[in-house]
Amino acid sequence: MGHRHHRALTARLVFLPQPLLVCGRVSRVLPRRGLMRLSRYFLPILRETPKEAEIVSHRLMLRAGMIRQEAAGIYAWLPLGLKVLNKITDIIREEQNRAGAVELLMPTIQPAELWRESGRYDAYGKEMLRISDRHEREMLFGPTNEEMVTEIFRAYVKSYKDLPLNLYHLQWKFRDEIRPRFGTMRSREFLMKDAYSFDLDQAGARHAYNRMFVAYLRTFARMGLKAIPMRADTGPIGGDLSHEFIILADTGESEVFCHQDYLGFAVPPADTDFEDAAGLQGLVDHWTSRYAATSEMHDAAAFEAVDAASRVSARGIEVGHIFYFGTKYSAPMGATVTGPDGQERAVHMGSYGIGPSRLAAALIEAGHDDDGIIWPDEIAPFHVMLLDLKTGDGATGAACDTLYKALTLRGLDVLHDDRDERAGAKFATADLIGIPWQVLVGPKGLASGKVELKRRATGERELLSIEEAVARIAG
RNA sequence: CGGGGCAUAGCGCAGCCCGGUAGCGCAUCUGCUUUGGGAGCAGAGGGUCGCAGGUUCGAAUCCUGCUGCCCCGACCA
């Protein structure tokens, strides 16, 4: 291992950006951005809808140049789509970290051996993509990571003093669905945040479960979504520790029933104490106090007991799923710790999933109109789009440059449409890709020193000076 | 995996029934005119008609097989 390698590595490190701070808008945005001129960007928008796309999110993701299908249920994420995916994972990471989970990264390819230990290698069926390497060793493309994370845990953790522990990662998974559909909503390859908790006993596991429960409430709320926890089937383990987080969307895949009150429940604040077991339990109790069920778990009689005015029956999309499964993997795989009493025992585990690639589609299902996508501010690939309505005019270009500098200095992500296109085409593009703020810079307005600020979600427009527009957007 | 459908230019489609050497709109390129809600005119480029066989003087078109993709259902984050 040479000297040479070492030196090359050092030289390269010099050019790496400073480590990003975890919090704050500016630190997240600044190091990544170059000058975003649409004429130099890669945004292959489609004017017509490809015929294979059935649901609105799939149509819009293709039209907005976010994704490209490479095979059934397998997609390339183009620049705009990737920016959205990254915004989603940024929020997920912040909330996982806040709740005390620790990030690592496990591989996509796993040895079959691990899955034989848990007994799932044969049980999983054809959904698992099985492959073999050049030595004919049986491998698989991971559909989930319980086995592997349990293997990692058992290799190092031996004492109850190291608990509780929650390890998570964001990694691509593959499930060879019989029938992938709905674009990235139900793809074969998909990104998943999966967290795994390890505790000494069931009480500890419940606290771990509650931490994730509250983290999920915050995560989805930050994305502008109303996610409602609904009791899910716990399978052979039983108990009440499994919830699906469902967002309501008219075009949702499944029918859901819940109490109106959920739509108004307060989301736990950022300074929630995740170590306070009793406090968390109170929050979870509150958020499970009303009726809420997917069609599989629906109890018509119980729903009828809710007063008629408060009954909400709607369509929903599952965006997260958490569950406790006890010693299902730790016992067969020998993931044990020694307790305070000197006894060795299998740890109690839970797992907690969110699908960011599915969320990207779900967010569009929940936010769009006839003209295109309507991104929530926290998720939008760019915060602001500058529309130079007369490129080559000089004055409009100069005004756009001024706006660009002022907005980026305030930590905002700006896309400048400097293409040599007519105004109408720029309006259509901006509406299609759903940037929350549009600044229309045209000769008419500039004549009186004004630009027009348009809010994508509401269509509201205001004539403002450049300074006023910047102030309004930066809020 | 069962049932149905599609495959012709980057995208959307026509042509196929009735075989004769490929067309329309949008997009792309050039020029001129236009310029606040996907502009107009003129011109240009771009296709092994999914793949492989077969029938025929001749196949996008008829026949056989294969592959890919989509939709409905069962399954799933």
Side-chain angles (χ1 to χ4, degrees), chain A residues 113-133:
Chain A
E113 200 45 45
L114 221 41
W115 288 64
R116 290 216 166 86
E117 284 191 47
S118 71
R120 283 210 291 181
Y121 191 68
D122 295 322
Y124 217 90
K126 302 189 81 167
E127 263 198 15
M128 184 190 292
L129 180 62
R130 293 154 208 261
I131 51 188
S132 56
D133 68 13

Side-chain angles (χ1 to χ4, degrees), chain A residues 35-112:
Chain A
L35 196 62
M36 282 307 176
R37 292 184 182 280
L38 189 46
S39 64
R40 310 306 313 160
Y41 197 56
F42 183 64
L43 183 70
I45 59 169
L46 269 32
R47 196 163 165 172
E48 285 172 276
T49 303
K51 64 177 174 186
E52 73 268 18
E54 191 70 10
I55 63 167
V56 66
S57 60
H58 190 195
R59 284 203 300 267
L60 289 173
M61 287 175 85
L62 290 168
R63 287 199 54 213
M66 292 177 62
I67 55 169
R68 163 97 187 152
Q69 180 171 324
E70 295 299 339
I74 298 178
Y75 294 84
W77 288 76
L78 305 181
L80 196 77
L82 180 60
K83 284 190 71 109
V84 169
L85 207 49
N86 284 338
K87 296 267 177 140
I88 292 171
T89 54
D90 281 351
I91 292 175
I92 292 173
R93 280 196 173 91
E94 287 179 20
E95 295 303 329
Q96 289 293 292
N97 294 343
R98 192 196 307 280
V102 181
E103 185 173 10
L104 47 52
L105 182 59
M106 291 178 269
T108 54
I109 306 293
Q110 307 182 22

Side-chain angles (χ1 to χ4, degrees), chain A residues 13-328:
Chain A
L13 283 174
V14 170
F15 296 101
L16 287 175
Q18 293 298 303
L20 305 189
L21 299 174
V22 175
C23 54
R25 215 179 206 176
V26 176
S27 62
R28 266 210 323 278
V29 165
L30 279 179
R32 282 189 195 161
R33 191 184 43 247
L35 196 62
M36 282 307 176
R37 292 184 182 280
L38 189 46
S39 64
R40 310 306 313 160
Y41 197 56
F42 183 64
L43 183 70
I45 59 169
L46 269 32
R47 196 163 165 172
E48 285 172 276
T49 303
K51 64 177 174 186
E52 73 268 18
E54 191 70 10
I55 63 167
V56 66
S57 60
H58 190 195
R59 284 203 300 267
L60 289 173
M61 287 175 85
L62 290 168
R63 287 199 54 213
M66 292 177 62
I67 55 169
R68 163 97 187 152
Q69 180 171 324
E70 295 299 339
I74 298 178
Y75 294 84
W77 288 76
L78 305 181
L80 196 77
L82 180 60
K83 284 190 71 109
V84 169
L85 207 49
N86 284 338
K87 296 267 177 140
I88 292 171
T89 54
D90 281 351
I91 292 175
I92 292 173
R93 280 196 173 91
E94 287 179 20
E95 295 303 329
Q96 289 293 292
N97 294 343
R98 192 196 307 280
V102 181
E103 185 173 10
L104 47 52
L105 182 59
M106 291 178 269
T108 54
I109 306 293
Q110 307 182 22
E113 200 45 45
L114 221 41
W115 288 64
R116 290 216 166 86
E117 284 191 47
S118 71
R120 283 210 291 181
Y121 191 68
D122 295 322
Y124 217 90
K126 302 189 81 167
E127 263 198 15
M128 184 190 292
L129 180 62
R130 293 154 208 261
I131 51 188
S132 56
D133 68 13
R134 66 195 299 162
H135 304 296
E136 301 295 319
R137 185 197 298 230
E138 293 174 286
M139 310 291 276
L140 57 98
F141 196 120
T144 178
N145 282 68
E146 279 84 2
E147 284 80 359
M148 185 168 283
V149 78
T150 302
E151 188 282 325
I152 291 171
F153 176 91
R154 76 179 174 194
Y156 302 108
V157 182
K158 303 294 177 192
S159 163
Y160 77 96
K161 292 176 185 172
D162 294 323
L163 301 182
L165 182 64
N166 183 322
L167 298 173
Y168 78 96
H169 76 338
L170 279 140
Q171 179 62 290
W172 293 91
K173 304 291 192 292
F174 195 94
R175 291 183 192 171
D176 201 356
E177 298 277 344
I178 294 167
R179 188 184 160 209
R181 61 181 121 176
F182 304 149
T184 66
M185 184 82 83
R186 176 85 180 281
S187 50
R188 291 195 291 173
E189 188 185 54
F190 59 99
L191 187 59
M192 185 156 98
K193 184 288 297 180
D194 38 329
Y196 303 90
S197 65
F198 304 87
D199 287 272
L200 185 61
D201 52 28
Q202 188 167 355
R206 174 176 281 270
H207 183 193
Y209 183 91
N210 291 346
R211 273 196 287 263
M212 287 293 109
F213 188 107
V214 170
Y216 276 32
L217 289 176
R218 287 192 44 76
T219 300
F220 298 123
R222 283 187 57 186
M223 296 177 189
L225 297 171
K226 291 239 183 261
I228 301 167
M230 301 195 180
R231 180 87 74 85
D233 191 3
T234 48
I237 304 294
D240 60 349
L241 291 183
S242 179
H243 287 88
E244 291 179 355
F245 286 76
I246 307 276
I247 62 164
L248 303 183
D250 295 339
T251 50
E253 56 195 340
S254 54
E255 207 172 3
V256 297
F257 308 87
C258 70
H259 195 289
Q260 174 81 32
D261 287 357
Y262 277 112
L263 302 175
F265 277 178
V267 174
D271 62 1
T272 298
D273 182 1
F274 283 87
E275 296 310 304
D276 175 6
L280 284 190
Q281 189 63 55
L283 288 170
V284 172
D285 288 345
H286 177 57
W287 276 87
T288 52
S289 60
R290 304 286 194 279
Y291 186 85
T294 57
S295 49
E296 303 94 60
M297 299 290 287
H298 187 48
D299 175 347
F303 191 54
E304 290 300 314
V306 174
D307 68 284
S310 298
R311 279 179 224 151
V312 175
S313 93
R315 301 204 66 82
I317 300 170
E318 181 186 348
V319 290
H321 195 165
I322 60 178
F323 49 94
Y324 162 75
F325 47 73
T327 59
K328 180 176 177 183

